[in-house]
Amino acid sequence: MAVMTAPNTALRAIRTGMRMSQDDFARALQAAGHRIGEPNDANKRLVQRWESGAIAAPRPVYARALEVVTGLPISLLGFTAVPGEYVADDEHGGHDLTSPISGLATPTPNSKPTTIHGSYEGVWLSRYQYYSSGRSDSFAGQHFVVMLQHGDRLTARSLPGSAASSLSLDLTVDGAVVTGTWVEQTDPGGYYRGARYHGAIQLLAEPTGRRMAGKWVGFGKDMDVNTGPWELVFRDASTSKATLDRYNTSTT
């Protein structure tokens, strides 16, 4: 068995950032396994062994559940070995605006977009527009997000350096129709002072697989229902740490 030389502080930080106990996290992993058709036996002891560094990498069935629960690729979860290369010691049996947004400037790091092959997984540029009643004007929000795919389920999480706010999307693909929910934690030092907003989203994916466009719906501060355009533009098929580091930069 490969043994880590240090605790997996990255995984622990992600779990605590999600405000989950080790028991909660294990239950979420089990639920994710059932959703994607790969049941697992995750429990608190297994999570403890991952976080302590006693297990260098999860088995593939757990790696996929970890990606679903955290919305992050396994390469960013602090493990030091590659799932699939590890001989398992995973405790088996234990454990409405209508204006277009395509005219916005598209930020690009020092690389050209690559193509995707039958998958939506990779780095995307997320752009949306919203109307601020307090400022009587419309604004745009932009983030680089990392998209993961498990069957017909997509999860996208913003790269922390790409914007002052954090964004997450949980989506389901049905042909060319992509439907789901969004959550944004606004910039603590910005106009909305760290307020948390959430709502629904529906997009249509272009046949090329390089762009999704549609609308969001959500509530405003006066408890009114707002809507506006949203698009996701494909940038890179890789979710390696080196690639994500390259896109982990401001979109402005």
Short mmCIF file of all heavy atoms in Angstrom, two decimals, residues 108-117 119 121-124 208-211 233-239 243 246-247:
data_model
loop_
_atom_site.label_atom_id
_atom_site.label_comp_id
_atom_site.label_asym_id
_atom_site.label_seq_id
_atom_site.Cartn_x
_atom_site.Cartn_y
_atom_site.Cartn_z
N THR A 108 -8.78 35.34 -22.57
CA THR A 108 -8.10 34.10 -22.94
C THR A 108 -6.72 34.08 -22.33
O THR A 108 -5.94 35.02 -22.48
CB THR A 108 -7.95 33.98 -24.47
OG1 THR A 108 -7.30 35.14 -24.98
CG2 THR A 108 -9.30 33.83 -25.14
N PRO A 109 -6.38 33.00 -21.61
CA PRO A 109 -5.01 32.86 -21.13
C PRO A 109 -4.11 32.48 -22.28
O PRO A 109 -4.53 32.45 -23.44
CB PRO A 109 -5.12 31.74 -20.10
CG PRO A 109 -6.33 30.99 -20.49
CD PRO A 109 -7.25 31.95 -21.16
N ASN A 110 -2.86 32.20 -21.96
CA ASN A 110 -1.88 31.97 -23.02
C ASN A 110 -1.99 30.57 -23.60
O ASN A 110 -1.08 29.76 -23.51
CB ASN A 110 -0.47 32.20 -22.48
CG ASN A 110 -0.28 33.63 -22.05
OD1 ASN A 110 -0.80 34.53 -22.68
ND2 ASN A 110 0.46 33.84 -20.98
N SER A 111 -3.14 30.26 -24.18
CA SER A 111 -3.32 28.98 -24.87
C SER A 111 -4.51 29.10 -25.78
O SER A 111 -5.39 29.93 -25.57
CB SER A 111 -3.55 27.86 -23.86
OG SER A 111 -4.77 28.06 -23.19
N LYS A 112 -4.55 28.28 -26.82
CA LYS A 112 -5.67 28.27 -27.73
C LYS A 112 -6.67 27.22 -27.29
O LYS A 112 -6.29 26.16 -26.80
CB LYS A 112 -5.19 27.95 -29.16
CG LYS A 112 -4.30 29.05 -29.74
CD LYS A 112 -3.91 28.70 -31.16
CE LYS A 112 -3.03 29.79 -31.77
NZ LYS A 112 -2.63 29.46 -33.16
N PRO A 113 -7.99 27.50 -27.48
CA PRO A 113 -8.98 26.50 -27.10
C PRO A 113 -8.76 25.21 -27.87
O PRO A 113 -8.45 25.23 -29.05
CB PRO A 113 -10.32 27.16 -27.50
CG PRO A 113 -10.02 28.62 -27.58
CD PRO A 113 -8.60 28.73 -28.00
N THR A 114 -8.92 24.10 -27.19
CA THR A 114 -8.84 22.81 -27.86
C THR A 114 -10.25 22.31 -28.13
O THR A 114 -11.23 22.97 -27.81
CB THR A 114 -8.09 21.81 -26.98
OG1 THR A 114 -8.76 21.72 -25.72
CG2 THR A 114 -6.67 22.25 -26.75
N THR A 115 -10.38 21.17 -28.74
CA THR A 115 -11.69 20.64 -29.03
C THR A 115 -12.07 19.59 -28.00
O THR A 115 -11.23 19.01 -27.34
CB THR A 115 -11.71 19.97 -30.42
OG1 THR A 115 -10.71 18.94 -30.46
CG2 THR A 115 -11.41 20.99 -31.50
N ILE A 116 -13.38 19.37 -27.86
CA ILE A 116 -13.85 18.35 -26.95
C ILE A 116 -14.37 17.18 -27.77
O ILE A 116 -14.74 17.32 -28.92
CB ILE A 116 -14.93 18.88 -26.00
CG1 ILE A 116 -16.11 19.49 -26.78
CG2 ILE A 116 -14.39 19.90 -25.06
CD1 ILE A 116 -17.21 19.99 -25.91
N HIS A 117 -14.38 16.02 -27.20
CA HIS A 117 -14.72 14.80 -27.92
C HIS A 117 -15.82 14.06 -27.19
O HIS A 117 -15.57 13.22 -26.33
CB HIS A 117 -13.47 13.92 -28.06
CG HIS A 117 -12.31 14.62 -28.68
ND1 HIS A 117 -12.22 14.87 -30.03
CD2 HIS A 117 -11.19 15.17 -28.14
CE1 HIS A 117 -11.09 15.52 -30.29
NE2 HIS A 117 -10.46 15.72 -29.16
N SER A 119 -17.87 14.99 -24.91
CA SER A 119 -17.97 15.26 -23.48
C SER A 119 -17.96 16.76 -23.26
O SER A 119 -17.37 17.51 -24.03
CB SER A 119 -16.80 14.62 -22.73
OG SER A 119 -16.77 15.04 -21.38
N GLU A 121 -16.79 17.90 -20.40
CA GLU A 121 -15.81 18.09 -19.33
C GLU A 121 -14.69 19.02 -19.78
O GLU A 121 -14.23 18.96 -20.92
CB GLU A 121 -15.23 16.73 -18.94
CG GLU A 121 -14.53 16.74 -17.60
CD GLU A 121 -14.53 15.37 -16.94
OE1 GLU A 121 -15.62 14.86 -16.61
OE2 GLU A 121 -13.43 14.82 -16.76
N GLY A 122 -14.26 19.88 -18.88
CA GLY A 122 -13.17 20.79 -19.19
C GLY A 122 -13.37 22.15 -18.56
O GLY A 122 -14.15 22.31 -17.62
N VAL A 123 -12.67 23.13 -19.07
CA VAL A 123 -12.76 24.51 -18.59
C VAL A 123 -13.67 25.30 -19.52
O VAL A 123 -13.53 25.25 -20.75
CB VAL A 123 -11.37 25.17 -18.53
CG1 VAL A 123 -11.49 26.63 -18.07
CG2 VAL A 123 -10.45 24.39 -17.59
N TRP A 124 -14.59 26.04 -18.93
CA TRP A 124 -15.54 26.87 -19.68
C TRP A 124 -15.51 28.29 -19.12
O TRP A 124 -15.20 28.49 -17.94
CB TRP A 124 -16.96 26.33 -19.55
CG TRP A 124 -17.19 25.00 -20.18
CD1 TRP A 124 -16.69 23.79 -19.77
CD2 TRP A 124 -18.00 24.73 -21.33
NE1 TRP A 124 -17.14 22.79 -20.59
CE2 TRP A 124 -17.95 23.32 -21.55
CE3 TRP A 124 -18.77 25.52 -22.19
CZ2 TRP A 124 -18.63 22.71 -22.61
CZ3 TRP A 124 -19.45 24.92 -23.23
CH2 TRP A 124 -19.38 23.53 -23.43
N THR A 208 -21.93 21.87 -31.94
CA THR A 208 -20.47 21.76 -31.85
C THR A 208 -20.00 21.36 -30.45
O THR A 208 -18.86 20.91 -30.28
CB THR A 208 -19.82 23.10 -32.18
OG1 THR A 208 -20.27 24.10 -31.25
CG2 THR A 208 -20.17 23.55 -33.60
N GLY A 209 -20.87 21.52 -29.45
CA GLY A 209 -20.47 21.25 -28.07
C GLY A 209 -19.57 22.30 -27.48
O GLY A 209 -19.02 22.12 -26.39
N ARG A 210 -19.43 23.43 -28.14
CA ARG A 210 -18.51 24.47 -27.69
C ARG A 210 -19.20 25.66 -27.03
O ARG A 210 -18.54 26.57 -26.55
CB ARG A 210 -17.65 24.96 -28.85
CG ARG A 210 -16.75 23.87 -29.44
CD ARG A 210 -15.97 24.41 -30.63
NE ARG A 210 -15.08 25.50 -30.24
CZ ARG A 210 -13.85 25.33 -29.79
NH1 ARG A 210 -13.36 24.11 -29.66
NH2 ARG A 210 -13.12 26.36 -29.46
N ARG A 211 -20.52 25.65 -27.01
CA ARG A 211 -21.23 26.77 -26.42
C ARG A 211 -22.61 26.33 -25.97
O ARG A 211 -23.27 25.52 -26.62
CB ARG A 211 -21.36 27.93 -27.42
CG ARG A 211 -22.08 29.17 -26.88
CD ARG A 211 -22.04 30.31 -27.90
NE ARG A 211 -22.75 31.50 -27.43
CZ ARG A 211 -24.05 31.75 -27.68
NH1 ARG A 211 -24.76 30.89 -28.40
NH2 ARG A 211 -24.62 32.85 -27.21
N VAL A 233 -19.03 29.18 -22.61
CA VAL A 233 -18.21 29.04 -23.81
C VAL A 233 -17.04 28.12 -23.50
O VAL A 233 -16.26 28.38 -22.56
CB VAL A 233 -17.71 30.41 -24.29
CG1 VAL A 233 -16.87 30.25 -25.56
CG2 VAL A 233 -18.87 31.36 -24.55
N PHE A 234 -16.89 27.05 -24.26
CA PHE A 234 -15.85 26.06 -24.03
C PHE A 234 -14.46 26.65 -24.28
O PHE A 234 -14.24 27.37 -25.26
CB PHE A 234 -16.07 24.87 -24.96
CG PHE A 234 -14.99 23.83 -24.88
CD1 PHE A 234 -14.89 22.98 -23.79
CD2 PHE A 234 -14.07 23.71 -25.90
CE1 PHE A 234 -13.90 22.03 -23.72
CE2 PHE A 234 -13.07 22.75 -25.84
CZ PHE A 234 -12.98 21.91 -24.76
N ARG A 235 -13.51 26.33 -23.38
CA ARG A 235 -12.16 26.84 -23.53
C ARG A 235 -11.10 25.74 -23.63
O ARG A 235 -10.18 25.83 -24.42
CB ARG A 235 -11.79 27.76 -22.34
CG ARG A 235 -12.68 28.97 -22.19
CD ARG A 235 -12.75 29.80 -23.45
NE ARG A 235 -11.42 30.22 -23.90
CZ ARG A 235 -11.14 30.59 -25.14
NH1 ARG A 235 -12.06 30.55 -26.06
NH2 ARG A 235 -9.92 30.96 -25.44
N ASP A 236 -11.19 24.67 -22.81
CA ASP A 236 -10.13 23.67 -22.79
C ASP A 236 -10.68 22.35 -22.27
O ASP A 236 -11.44 22.33 -21.30
CB ASP A 236 -8.98 24.14 -21.88
CG ASP A 236 -7.65 23.47 -22.19
OD1 ASP A 236 -7.62 22.23 -22.14
OD2 ASP A 236 -6.67 24.18 -22.46
N ALA A 237 -10.30 21.23 -22.91
CA ALA A 237 -10.81 19.92 -22.51
C ALA A 237 -10.09 19.35 -21.29
O ALA A 237 -10.58 18.41 -20.66
CB ALA A 237 -10.69 18.93 -23.67
N SER A 238 -8.94 19.87 -20.94
CA SER A 238 -8.16 19.31 -19.85
C SER A 238 -8.65 19.82 -18.50
O SER A 238 -9.06 20.98 -18.37
CB SER A 238 -6.68 19.68 -20.02
OG SER A 238 -5.93 19.27 -18.89
N THR A 239 -8.61 18.94 -17.50
CA THR A 239 -8.87 19.37 -16.12
C THR A 239 -7.65 19.08 -15.24
O THR A 239 -7.78 18.93 -14.03
CB THR A 239 -10.10 18.65 -15.54
OG1 THR A 239 -9.92 17.22 -15.59
CG2 THR A 239 -11.37 19.02 -16.29
N THR A 243 -3.44 22.85 -16.19
CA THR A 243 -4.41 23.60 -16.99
C THR A 243 -5.24 24.52 -16.12
O THR A 243 -5.45 25.69 -16.44
CB THR A 243 -5.33 22.64 -17.76
OG1 THR A 243 -4.54 21.85 -18.65
CG2 THR A 243 -6.37 23.41 -18.57
N ARG A 246 -3.53 27.58 -15.08
CA ARG A 246 -3.42 28.58 -16.15
C ARG A 246 -4.67 29.43 -16.26
O ARG A 246 -4.61 30.62 -16.62
CB ARG A 246 -3.13 27.87 -17.47
CG ARG A 246 -2.76 28.81 -18.61
CD ARG A 246 -2.15 28.07 -19.78
NE ARG A 246 -3.11 27.24 -20.49
CZ ARG A 246 -3.08 25.91 -20.49
NH1 ARG A 246 -2.18 25.26 -19.80
NH2 ARG A 246 -3.99 25.22 -21.16
N TYR A 247 -5.85 28.81 -16.00
CA TYR A 247 -7.12 29.54 -16.10
C TYR A 247 -7.54 30.16 -14.77
O TYR A 247 -8.55 30.87 -14.73
CB TYR A 247 -8.21 28.62 -16.60
CG TYR A 247 -8.14 28.35 -18.08
CD1 TYR A 247 -7.42 27.27 -18.57
CD2 TYR A 247 -8.78 29.18 -18.99
CE1 TYR A 247 -7.34 27.01 -19.92
CE2 TYR A 247 -8.71 28.94 -20.35
CZ TYR A 247 -7.99 27.85 -20.82
OH TYR A 247 -7.92 27.61 -22.16
#
